[in-house]
Amino acid sequence: MRTLKPLFVLIFFAVLSLGYSQKIYTDKDIQIIPKPNQLLIQSGTFEFSKNTVFVANTDFQKDISTALISKFQIAAGFSPVLGTKAPQRNFIQFKVDPAFHKEAYKLEVINNSITVTANGNAGFIYGLETIRQLLPVAIESKYAITSEKWQIPNVTITDEPRFKWRGLMLDLSRHFFDKNYIMETIDRLAMHKMNVLHLHLVDDQGWRIEIKKYPKLTEVGAWRVDQENVSWNARLTTNPDEKGTYGGFFTQEELKEIVKYAATKNIEVIPEIEMPAHVSSAIASYPELACFDQRIGVPSGGLWPITDIYCAGKETTFEFLQNVIDEVITIFPSKYIHIGGDEATKTNWEKCPHCQKRMKDNGLKNVHELQSYFVKRMEKYINSKGKKVIGWDEILEGGLAPEATVMSWRGTKGGVEATEQGHDVIMTPESHCYFNFYQGPQNEEPLAFDAYTPLSKVYEFDPVVPTMTPQEASHVLGGQANLWAEHLAGPKDSEYMIFPRLAALSEVLWSSKDSRNWNDFTTRLAPMLKRYDYLGINYAKSAYLVTASSSADLAKKQINVTLKNEFPNPDIRYVLGDKNIDQNALKYTNPIQFNGTTVLKASLFQNEKPVGKTFTDTIIFHKAVGHKVNYLTPFNDNYKGDGPFTLANTIRGSKNFHDGQWQAWLVNDMEVVVDLGTQESIEQVIVGTLESQGSGVNFPVKIKVLISNDGIKYQEVGKISRPYAANVTSELKDFKINFAKINTRFVKVIAVNLKKSPKGESSWLFVDEILVN
Ligand code: ACM
Ligand code: ZN
């Protein structure tokens, strides 16, 4: 009996405290991104207080414990204790188990104690990051929140990543981000259990790493003439004698600090030293690195094609690069050095006597084989230093270097090819991993690269291609987001492009494929966004935006507009006419019917309040609405719009020509006939078009309107010409053709395609609506 007594007392108090304040946790309360592999919730909780002891027995454990303790000091207003011995209760301890995989961890919260088990530091970091996400989001607060209860549920979490490479690339050349921002980015990567930071340190528009043997690389190459207030592709070519004032670089000491800090977060920093192209900054510093010793300035903006590249014939080029690599490897302990290799236009190599001699001496059949020689030679050198080489997928052309790892960016094709050859790959296809692309309706977004990768698309990414054999798939190290910085003006822009897409990517790369579930992810994203709010991250709210599509009821002359949002079961509300979106807005359930010109505003609601930007569209009724459009020249299969009804559906396209409202013709003219059904009196035709020359999309050069009553014999009633003009922006334009009022049934509209751009590219013609008035 006597031995039972303490147990009885214990149970009594346990029951008492349960009745008091115990929150009962369910799966829904655990909102961790990336989703852990296995999670078991038990009854009971662990509460953090000033008495909680972090039992840390190595310097590393002390450092990571201190990082979490300091969050309590700031957000909770109390300081848990850092100790070396576990007390009776309320402590966190670390346990080493060599049987665990490198980044795996087990988190057990039970009996008023927390145990993080891992094989080493990486797992311990992730265990603590998981505790952070089990805690209320207010743990991220920058001031004390006293009303919060700092408790987490009793759980057992067993977790490890699906892929070992989970990266983000920052382009420091096109925009120079300072050390502070890089350190912050490291923290944020760790919060998402990402483990690679790839620094793009060299590109045409700036050399960003101190190389002691070649001081001009940073005296000259790190600075460009300041045209930051002009959009990237409109910046003018600069004279080599003009002094550069925009730029900067990292000293070797600063880079070592970054590397050291990253290591405390299990993040490996991979340097990218581009070659043989994307090196105008180096050639501006040392013209002898190019084939013809030409003097050039560091470009301030867009440069295409890239013909100023390193000479592959001169021995001095290799001496230079080997000396650069010698210094790079003293800074970066990473296993890999990225040597670029992308987008080299090799016209100078065709003409250069040094390059030609090199090809002849080595039996190289073409300049692709010369690039392959270049990469193989550099790989051999880098391998001799105990490091491995990564290159963009262009390094496949002309023959892959024997040990190289391929970073596949032009889709996954290069990655597949490399795995077939038994090489490792990192998948970063533009389609899903380029975070410089738009993530929301283009009219509503800050300027970005002219392509579209919304949050849900990132979430659909899979680094393993279904056609790969298990053996090939085993060569897929993982994936990475690349943030090219041409259009970024600072950290806030960078944050906007990275978040929340990084959350989606982190789950793709960490969590098991079976557990991937968009609905579930979006639920867990909400608290993550609150964390971003607390951390002051300027994340994109593009996923909140409402978009529209429409269909027509020809008989009723009615347009039915469907409203959508990226999230599952969104609470969309709308108003018609000149009203604001507020608590009186109507709840959207079914397509909205329109019979006349009306302004439509809509917004996603959360907690009874509109969130994100309001969608606004003026549904303009005109005489073609709901009528049949016959295509005398068919639209391109890739741009079908909303089907054959698109050109008379009242819904206008955005600057994102993938938004489903655009039809397109490649090289061909658009030639369509609108059948008004009966004779109508008309005096104007408006053709809605788009220009985005960077993507090969040009305004029509001429538009003609013809009319007919029998649909056979046509008479021209109006035309306009608009000669090609260079345009660096994306622009929407309505071409209006006015004519004397006339009765007609058939209206033929011909929009003449530019056909070939001045650069010689096939031209696209895009049309979203033909308005007949
Ligand atoms: C790249 O986007 N040129 C790798
Ligand atoms: Zn040359």
Side-chain angles (χ1 to χ4, degrees), residues 214 288-289 311 313-321 358:
Y214 301 105
E288 62 273 23
L289 292 169
C311 178
K314 297 177 194 167
E315 275 304 295
T316 46
T317 304
F318 294 96
E319 270 166 38
F320 165 81
L321 285 172
R358 172 84 67 201

Side-chain angles (χ1 to χ4, degrees), residues 202 207 209 211 213-214 217 252 273 275 310 318-329:
V202 172
W207 183 285
I209 170 174
I211 301 295
K213 202 171 173 95
Y214 301 105
L217 287 172
Q252 297 194 356
I273 308 296
M275 60 189 80
Y310 291 140
F318 294 96
E319 270 166 38
F320 165 81
L321 285 172
Q322 289 174 5
N323 289 333
V324 168
I325 294 295
D326 285 349
E327 294 193 31
V328 169
I329 60 181

Side-chain angles (χ1 to χ4, degrees), residues 304 667 693-698 754-764:
W304 196 259
V667 184
Q693 292 181 353
S695 305
V697 182
N698 295 286
L754 176 66
K755 299 193 168 52
K756 244 189 193 1
S757 74
K759 276 192 208 158
E761 295 165 344
S762 298
S763 175
W764 287 96

